[in-house]
Structure formats: structure tokens, C-alpha cells
Amino acid sequence: MIHVKTESDDIGRTDDITKPPNAIIIHGPYECLLNTVEACAINIWPELNRYFPFIYCVETLVYEHKQHEWESCFDKLGLDPKPIDQCYNGEYGKELELQYAAETNALQPPHKYVPWVVVDGEPLYEDYENFLSYVCNAYKGTDTPQSCTKTYLNAVSKGEGKYKHLVCYMERMIPTWEK
């Protein structure tokens, strides 16, 4: 059993996770909360065009170190917060979080750090920033999406000023950021 206790009273959750897979929260209390919130969003709004804008909004706030403002995404997107609130504050939210943790723990090969990006069952390892080229190579349809055209991929690959290989190794349990 691993006891995952939040370090902040702001979010008011203390989870005692006793069912496998045991959860290990690496990046602090908001990671646990927002993992559950996002799992609830996917479950409540199963269509990609419904849940993805919400998750994108939340993750943008995390990137900007404003994760405590995550609930503002409901107003920004005109979404009803009640179903998400009921889910992440209830047992079902915990079940969803454990379900996603089980999927992560079942990855083969096991994930070694985050982000761990997989396309067609194959991990991209440190080359996750080029995920679009992997997705395009795996695409089997006849109508090639614009984002898979050579012109688009060349333009994306010329991006400058980005961190390379920004990962957090799982075995260290403390974020270690590398360029």
C-alpha cells in the first residue's frame, strides 16, 4: 500500500490508494488531482472535440505554473463544472485514476520517464518531440492529413529555441529535468 497524501489544503484531497496498481505521484498534489479531473473529463465528454479543449486549457495553466486556476477552464470553455466535480470528488474518479494507472503500468516496455509517448504500441523514447512524424508514418488512410504533408513536417522540424529531451526519470522519484 502506498499512501498518497496531498501537501496542500487548497485542493483538499487525501487519497489512501490500497488497490493495485499503487499510485506514486511524482510531481506533487496537483498532479494527482488533475490526473483525476482529466480522467473524469474523458469519461464524461468521450468525444475528442469535447474533452481535448478542456485538457489543453488545464495543461496550459500547468505549463504556466497556474495549475491552481484549473477551474477557470470551465468558464473559458462554457462547460458545466458539476459533472466533473462530482466525478473527481467521488469514488468513480478514484476508479478512473486507478484504471489509467493500470494502463500505464501495463506498458511494454515499461515506461521509464515522463512524458512516455507510444505510437502503434512502440515507445518513442527521447524522440517524443517528433511524435507527429511517427503518427504520420503509422497513418494507414488514403486521404493524408495536411499535418502529414512534407511541407508541414519540414516547417515543424525547423522550430528553434525548444528544449530537447525534457524528461523526468521514474526511478529517481524526484523530477530531474534535462535539456
Side-chain angles (χ1 to χ4, degrees):
M1 177 176 88
I2 294 178
H3 186 74
V4 180
K5 183 176 180 180
T6 62
E7 297 173 13
S8 168
D9 292 332
D10 294 345
I11 58 177
R13 287 211 32 197
T14 301
D15 295 329
D16 187 7
I17 298 176
T18 57
K19 295 184 248 177
N22 295 327
I24 299 172
I25 303 302
I26 298 171
H27 300 111
Y30 274 100
E31 178 186 20
C32 184
L33 170 76
L34 296 178
N35 283 350
T36 305
V37 165
E38 292 174 359
C40 289
I42 291 168
N43 182 266
I44 290 165
W45 304 308
E47 301 86 23
L48 179 67
N49 62 347
R50 295 278 321 270
Y51 72 78
F52 186 77
F54 177 76
I55 292 175
Y56 186 82
C57 178
V58 170
E59 291 299 323
T60 298
L61 291 171
V62 170
Y63 180 77
E64 295 170 349
H65 304 287
K66 298 177 185 177
Q67 56 270 20
H68 59 281
E69 298 176 18
W70 71 270
E71 291 174 290
S72 68
C73 293
F74 293 118
D75 287 336
K76 289 177 188 173
L77 299 168
L79 298 170
D80 180 6
K82 289 177 188 160
I84 301 293
D85 184 61
Q86 290 171 346
C87 178
Y88 86 81
N89 280 311
E91 289 301 312
Y92 192 61
K94 292 176 189 174
E95 288 176 27
L96 289 172
E97 187 173 7
L98 290 172
Q99 175 188 325
Y100 283 112
E103 288 179 27
T104 300
N105 288 340
L107 289 171
Q108 292 300 322
H111 78 296
K112 297 178 183 180
Y113 46 79
V114 291
W116 187 256
V117 180
V118 178
V119 175
D120 265 359
E122 295 296 321
L124 305 189
Y125 298 100
E126 287 88 2
D127 200 24
Y128 66 88
E129 289 180 343
N130 294 317
F131 78 94
L132 185 58
S133 63
Y134 288 91
V135 169
C136 292
N137 286 335
Y139 181 71
K140 304 289 187 248
T142 56
D143 191 18
T144 304
Q146 180 183 359
S147 56
C148 290
T149 63
K150 195 171 194 172
T151 304
Y152 185 86
L153 289 172
N154 284 340
V156 170
S157 68
K158 292 181 183 177
E160 294 181 16
K162 293 184 179 180
Y163 289 102
K164 296 287 183 188
H165 310 300
L166 189 63
V167 297
C168 178
Y169 288 93
M170 299 301 292
E171 67 270 6
R172 294 186 186 160
M173 301 309 298
I174 298 172
T176 302
W177 300 104
E178 299 180 354
K179 281 189 178 180

